[in-house]
């Protein structure tokens, strides 16, 4: 059976992408084709699949050890290798642009936070990205707090234009507006 077909079958039966990878890798002893099959079964375009796998090849896939397939699958999933990209609307693209401006205005960002934001942008989970940025603070010495908070207000206003915006968004937007009104430096 073709690996992508097998991956699709396993996913359709409720297996997670990490579990599906582990299943295929244990059977084939070929980590790269197994990971590629999971990505393709998730309808991740081939060029994007190749890019993602190249990024983690040396660290995770080049020298597989028997019995580590489950761990490798979980790491691939945590790194976002199996994240299905969402096509964003023009409004959502504008929100992401505002997020990127806010990230620059932070004056520095932890690698883990940046990674999480990148995954949310890819999957279209802009609510989670907004809530995360609204809970963060710009750095007092290197950041631009006025730009940070005003950009988040603009992004929040765009996000709350949906017919039924998440109530958490409304609250976070109020908090960002309060930061702008107070002129706080972070």
């Amino acid at each position: 059976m073709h690996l992508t077909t097998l991956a699709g079958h396993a996913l359709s039966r409720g297996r997670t992408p990490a579990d599906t990878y582990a299943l295929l890798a244990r059977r084939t002893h070929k980590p790269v084709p197994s990971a590629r099959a999971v990505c393709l079964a998730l309808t991740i375009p081939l060029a994007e699949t190749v890019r993602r796998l190249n990024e983690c090849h040396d660290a995770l896939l080049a020298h597989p050890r028997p019995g580590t397939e489950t761990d490798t699958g979980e790491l691939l999933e945590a790194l976002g290798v199996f994240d299905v990209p969402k096509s964003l609307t023009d409004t959502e693209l504008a929100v992401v642009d505002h997020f990127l401006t806010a990230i620059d205005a932070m004056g520095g960002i932890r690698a883990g936070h940046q990674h999480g934001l990148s995954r949310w942008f890819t999957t279209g989970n802009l609510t989670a990205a907004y809530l995360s940025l609204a809970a963060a603070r710009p750095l007092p010495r290197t950041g631009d707090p006025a730009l940070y908070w005003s950009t988040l207000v603009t992004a929040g206003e765009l996000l709350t234009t949906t017919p039924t915006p998440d109530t958490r968004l409304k609250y976070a937007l109020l908090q960002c507006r309060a930061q702008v009104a107070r002129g706080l430096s972070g």
Side-chain angles (χ1 to χ4, degrees):
M1 182 179 273
H2 190 265
L3 279 181
T4 303
T5 304
L6 185 57
H9 179 71
L11 291 165
S12 73
R13 307 271 295 174
R15 286 188 179 261
T16 66
D19 290 341
T20 301
Y21 165 82
L23 171 76
L24 296 178
R26 272 193 295 277
R27 287 186 181 185
T28 66
H29 305 287
K30 296 179 181 178
V32 174
S34 297
R36 183 182 316 114
V38 173
C39 288
L40 296 176
L42 290 167
T43 68
I44 298 169
L46 180 60
E48 178 64 12
T49 294
V50 169
R51 183 192 68 74
R52 291 178 187 189
L53 294 179
N54 284 341
E55 285 182 356
C56 65
H57 181 268
D58 292 345
L60 292 175
L61 302 173
H63 305 289
R65 292 191 336 249
T68 62
E69 298 86 359
T70 299
D71 293 339
T72 301
E74 289 173 0
L75 283 170
L76 290 169
E77 193 159 24
L79 289 172
V81 171
F82 302 135
D83 286 353
V84 178
K86 178 186 181 265
S87 293
L88 301 178
T89 66
D90 289 342
T91 301
E92 290 169 329
L93 289 170
V95 168
V96 170
D97 284 341
H98 288 298
F99 287 164
L100 295 174
T101 299
I103 290 167
D104 286 343
M106 282 181 91
I109 188 169
R110 293 182 337 270
H113 192 192
Q114 179 67 43
H115 176 70
L117 290 167
S118 178
R119 289 188 68 192
W120 289 325
F121 298 166
T122 298
T123 60
N125 190 348
L126 302 185
T127 296
Y130 186 78
L131 295 173
S132 177
L133 288 168
R137 298 283 180 263
L139 297 174
R141 293 185 191 182
T142 57
D144 182 344
L147 178 60
Y148 182 77
W149 295 114
S150 64
T151 302
L152 287 182
V153 166
T154 304
E157 289 170 347
L158 287 171
L159 283 172
T160 56
T161 61
T162 61
T164 55
D166 188 314
T167 55
R168 296 173 302 161
L169 280 175
K170 292 178 184 180
Y171 178 75
L173 176 56
L174 287 173
Q175 296 301 106
C176 292
R177 284 182 177 142
Q179 292 284 14
V180 170
R182 281 187 234 137
L184 294 179
S185 60

